[in-house]
Amino acid sequence: MYDNPDGVMIGLEVHVQLNKLKTKVFCGCVTDYHNDPPNSHVCPVCLGLPGSMPVINKKAVEAAIKIGLALNCKVEEHTQFYRKNYYYPDLPKGFQITQYDFPISSGGYVMIEGEDGELRVGITRAHMEEDPGRLVHEGTIDKSKYTLIDYNRSGMALIEIVSDPDMRSPKEARRYLDKLRNIVGYLDVFDGNLEGAMRVDANISIMGGQRAEIKNISSFKGAERALLFEIVRQKNVLRRGGVVVQETRHFDEAREITLSMRTKEEAHDYRYFPEPDLVPLKISGWAPAIKETLPELPDARRMRFVEQYGIKDDHAKALTSELKLAIFYEDVAKKADPKTAAVWVCDVLKGELNYRDLTVEAFKKEHMLSVLELLAGRKITEDGAVDIIRTLLDKGGSPEEIIKEKGLVIVAGDIVETAALEAIVENPQAAADYQAGKVKALNSLVGVVMKKTKGGADARKVREVLIAILSDGFYPPIEREKIEKTIIKIGDVMVEVSKPIANLLKKMGYV
Ligand SMILES: [Zn+2]
């Protein structure tokens, strides 16, 4: 049982930008502004000019319902927009169109891996709103001499997902965020790689004290760091006999500290009232049809992978952490051994992609299949396979070309076996020592085999072959029970091997 020593309570408000929609939420401005100059995707509506009127984007409402359903929320019968009144330069209208009473959906949950097993994090609500513009500062926000404003982002559709304060550590908060990105990523409504696609406000209190709200954290790592910092800061305030005040704080990503911005507003400070320019929406009939379009979500897919392909849960979890990766794996697993495919996609390819900050789209399925096929046919070593994958990512080409170019000649299994036998024959004492329980004696034999195969053999494979010959007394490891063992004399040393091995050694003229 996790006893939460600091009495930490964390609730998160996550803003998901629906950047895969073609147009903004209340106007026709197109959303693919990310490579364009500032203030080039704007119109009277998203600039908040007087007299302009918003028109709702139906696709945005559908996407919001989709997200609500995927988060196990109840989709409401009616939904309505409100004006949240405040002045800030990124909000030229002087109010933000958002939701207050009658959000699109509420009362859901997400399961995450908690400090002590599975943790259910409640979803208070998921509602729609418009994104404000973007403020750009020189250096840090508190030292910058000026503020620049880019309204390209103004009016982008956002879903704000508000959690219950169920998380008890920064690590749990991080896992919740990962899970949320994972789920929403499956719905094809946003591209998580675009700048500002997911932004986090974090509420945190300790020891039942007042909560601080940390605003606009742009990365998940940042959220974890900000929360860690806040716990230490609030503990220090209490230790000095002070009181933690309810306030809004800013996270300075560069310095990894939070700074006080203003005392926290109450809801009534915003004077919410229904947006008179948008009619209330009756959405009760929409949910069933949208539910039909929901894809298989990460948790369900993870369980199916374990069942259908017989892979480890850890692998299934990693493979379903991103939709594209899950599809990649499944396509490969249909044409190769699923377990081997899981190992190579998860443990090797995923790591190599991460290292290069690439997604799985950077690697061709056919190449993964060729690599697996070459491995299965024992045509390349495992080290050779890793080398091929790295070269494909760095320089391109095809596995066949790389094999030729690098001279990754393949030390076939029987060559390794012959070399292993030779190594044993030439070093019978090491073989006998190993059989007598001196495990380290194996290393010198591995060294001999590596030398004989000029480094072309896979060291893991060599160990495996040597152990098979020396421990079980036979190789290849088939029909173990049926193979009789015999003791042979190599030089002055007695070594126990299988009869086929003994015969082979005789044929080779060693005994
Ligand atoms: Zn516009």
Side-chain angles (χ1 to χ4, degrees):
M1 188 62 189
Y2 179 65
D3 66 354
N4 195 4
D6 298 320
V8 173
M9 283 172 80
I10 298 169
L12 298 175
E13 293 167 17
V14 180
H15 294 88
V16 178
Q17 195 185 57
L18 303 180
N19 53 23
K20 279 205 171 175
L21 293 173
K22 296 256 176 342
T23 60
K24 293 183 179 181
V25 63
F26 297 123
C27 64
C29 291
V30 294
T31 55
D32 61 341
Y33 60 78
H34 289 86
N35 296 315
D36 292 341
N39 298 306
S40 58
H41 289 237
V42 292
C43 72
V45 174
C46 55
L47 281 175
L49 300 188
S52 62
M53 297 281 272
V55 178
I56 186 84
N57 178 340
K58 186 181 176 192
K59 290 272 182 233
V61 181
E62 289 172 355
I65 293 175
K66 224 181 192 184
I67 291 175
L69 291 169
L71 299 176
N72 305 297
C73 287
K74 179 178 174 286
V75 177
E76 305 297 337
E77 306 261 305
H78 292 89
T79 192
Q80 185 162 2
F81 290 93
Y82 279 72
R83 288 186 180 181
K84 178 182 182 179
N85 297 280
Y86 67 98
Y87 176 73
Y88 211 60
D90 60 6
L91 193 68
K93 294 198 294 288
F95 61 86
Q96 180 189 28
I97 303 180
T98 177
Q99 298 197 291
Y100 189 58
D101 293 332
F102 316 108
I104 285 254
S105 65
S106 59
Y109 66 89
V110 165
M111 300 304 294
I112 66 160
E113 211 176 299
E115 296 280 358
D116 52 352
E118 274 214 303
L119 179 71
R120 185 185 196 274
V121 179
I123 302 291
T124 318
R125 55 194 270 154
H127 69 246
M128 295 181 69
E129 62 186 31
E130 60 178 340
D131 211 346
R134 193 166 74 93
L135 299 182
V136 182
H137 298 101
E138 176 203 34
T140 58
I141 191 171
D142 57 334
K143 300 256 166 62
S144 179
K145 289 195 197 77
Y146 55 79
T147 301
L148 300 169
I149 313 174
D150 177 6
Y151 290 113
N152 280 349
R153 201 178 76 180
S154 172
M156 289 292 285
L158 288 184
I159 305 299
E160 180 174 334
I161 301 165
V162 183
S163 85
D164 295 340
D166 290 342
M167 287 152 280
R168 302 158 298 176
S169 70
K171 203 199 278 169
E172 286 185 348
R174 175 72 183 268
R175 286 181 184 155
Y176 166 80
L177 290 169
D178 285 336
K179 190 66 181 277
L180 213 54
R181 176 163 56 194
N182 185 6
I183 294 172
V184 182
Y186 267 57
L187 304 177
D188 200 32
V189 291
F190 94 123
D191 178 350
N193 296 317
L194 288 178
E195 191 266 325
M198 261 180 127
R199 296 176 328 256
V200 182
D201 296 344
N203 288 294
I204 174 164
S205 67
I206 66 169
M207 307 294 184
Q210 294 280 2
R211 65 193 160 91
E213 181 177 17
I214 315 161
K215 279 278 190 196
N216 258 316
I217 310 167
S218 60
S219 74
F220 292 180
K221 197 172 82 186
E224 197 177 357
R225 296 263 164 85
L227 289 165
L228 283 168
F229 176 86
E230 253 321 282
I231 291 172
V232 174
R233 185 190 70 84
Q234 294 188 18
K235 267 160 85 172
N236 284 340
V237 170
L238 295 178
R239 192 168 29 231
R240 291 190 205 106
V243 177
V244 177
V245 293
Q246 183 170 339
E247 63 179 348
T248 300
R249 300 181 68 84
H250 165 78
F251 179 57
D252 184 329
E253 307 241 358
R255 290 182 284 175
E256 296 191 346
I257 57 171
T258 68
L259 303 162
S260 181
M261 288 176 82
R262 53 185 191 255
T263 53
K264 167 89 183 152
E265 297 84 355
E266 298 290 338
H268 63 248
D269 293 328
Y270 290 118
R271 289 176 297 120
Y272 282 93
F273 65 85
E275 165 61 66
D277 292 339
L278 288 163
V279 292
L281 294 174
K282 187 169 179 235
I283 52 170
S284 53
W286 296 22
I290 291 173
K291 198 165 192 172
E292 293 290 306
T293 70
L294 280 190
E296 184 184 32
L297 292 172
D299 284 349
R301 195 176 287 241
R302 174 176 163 185
M303 286 196 310
R304 181 170 63 77
F305 275 13
V306 170
E307 222 161 81
Q308 184 174 344
Y309 299 116
I311 61 176
K312 289 193 292 182
D313 185 52
D314 274 358
H315 280 154
K317 184 181 168 194
L319 290 168
T320 53
S321 65
E322 201 194 316
L323 181 61
K324 282 177 191 143
L325 188 69
I327 293 171
F328 180 94
Y329 167 71
E330 200 152 22
D331 289 348
V332 171
K334 278 179 187 150
K335 295 182 186 158
D337 173 51
K339 285 184 198 165
T340 316
V343 171
W344 281 86
V345 174
C346 244
D347 299 345
V348 181
L349 179 62
K350 199 163 181 268
E352 298 295 334
L353 289 168
N354 266 351
Y355 179 72
R356 291 165 179 77
D357 196 25
L358 292 171
T359 67
V360 71
E361 284 157 311
F363 202 79
K364 286 195 181 124
K365 280 170 204 166
E366 306 84 72
H367 288 165
M368 194 75 231
L369 280 166
S370 312
V371 168
L372 290 172
E373 209 171 283
L374 290 162
L375 275 169
R378 301 173 83 185
K379 298 228 170 79
I380 48 169
T381 64
E382 294 194 347
D383 291 343
V386 172
D387 198 357
I388 291 171
I389 290 172
R390 286 181 181 159
T391 311
L392 284 168
L393 287 170
D394 292 335
K395 295 186 185 143
S398 74
E400 295 70 27
E401 284 164 16
I402 294 165
I403 287 172
K404 221 184 258 172
E405 206 173 288
K406 296 209 163 200
L408 284 175
V409 189
I410 297 181
V411 175
D414 49 358
I415 298 176
V416 174
E417 285 149 36
T418 310
L421 288 171
E422 285 177 3
I424 291 169
V425 170
E426 289 160 19
N427 304 275
Q429 194 55 53
D433 286 350
Y434 175 73
Q435 289 188 329
K438 288 184 191 159
V439 181
K440 278 189 183 161
L442 193 66
N443 294 340
S444 65
L445 290 172
V446 172
V448 174
V449 177
M450 294 307 285
K451 217 179 251 172
K452 281 176 182 293
T453 53
K454 299 195 168 55
D458 186 48
R460 269 166 295 184
K461 188 78 209 167
V462 171
R463 286 188 86 81
E464 197 182 289
V465 170
L466 283 166
I467 290 170
I469 294 173
L470 293 171
S471 313
D472 301 347
F474 58 81
Y475 195 87
I478 40 158
E479 297 183 315
R480 296 178 176 233
E481 309 76 30
K482 290 182 198 159
I483 294 172
E484 274 180 68
K485 289 190 202 174
T486 182
I487 292 178
I488 53 166
K489 198 170 173 201
I490 306 175
D492 296 332
V493 190
M494 309 302 279
V495 179
E496 190 182 38
V497 293
S498 67
K499 279 199 171 162
I501 295 273
N503 291 337
L504 196 57
L505 287 170
K506 251 179 225 163
K507 234 188 265 172
M508 289 160 74
Y510 287 124
V511 287

